[in-house]
Amino acid sequence: VIGYPNVGKSSLINSLKRARAVGVGAEAGFTKRTQHVQLDKHITLIDCPGIVFAADESETQLVLRNCMKVEHVRDARAAVAAA
């Protein structure tokens, strides 16, 4: 499962498995390593940490997507103004 940090990749896997197969957290960066989850005999899901961002994405875009930890935000005013 691929996506931005903190968008629910691990929660999706747990929902599909109908059990707590992988850990989840409220902050970006909870998943630290790749985890394989056997959904059935033909399907294996792979939970990985969030993807690396494209070079053209601004800090404001990342903050509004909840992809950055608050302590890493340099200027919150830009994100507040854009919201």
Side-chain angles (χ1 to χ4, degrees):
V1 178
I2 299 172
Y4 283 106
N6 207 37
V7 295
K9 297 180 298 293
S10 298
S11 295
L12 173 66
I13 290 173
N14 286 338
S15 293
L16 292 171
K17 183 72 176 171
R18 296 186 178 158
R20 187 174 187 275
V22 293
V24 297
E27 288 188 11
F30 182 85
T31 303
K32 302 289 185 204
R33 60 181 176 79
T34 302
Q35 302 171 74
H36 296 254
V37 177
Q38 193 71 38
L39 194 57
D40 64 22
K41 68 180 186 175
H42 299 291
I43 299 173
T44 300
L45 300 174
I46 302 173
D47 187 23
C48 344
I51 61 170
V52 177
F53 310 114
D56 63 340
E57 287 189 293
S58 70
E59 181 178 275
T60 300
Q61 291 171 320
L62 298 175
V63 169
L64 291 174
R65 289 186 184 122
N66 197 26
C67 296
M68 291 182 69
K69 291 184 179 182
V70 175
E71 55 268 16
H72 295 151
V73 176
R74 287 177 273 164
D75 182 17
R77 290 176 289 181
V80 171

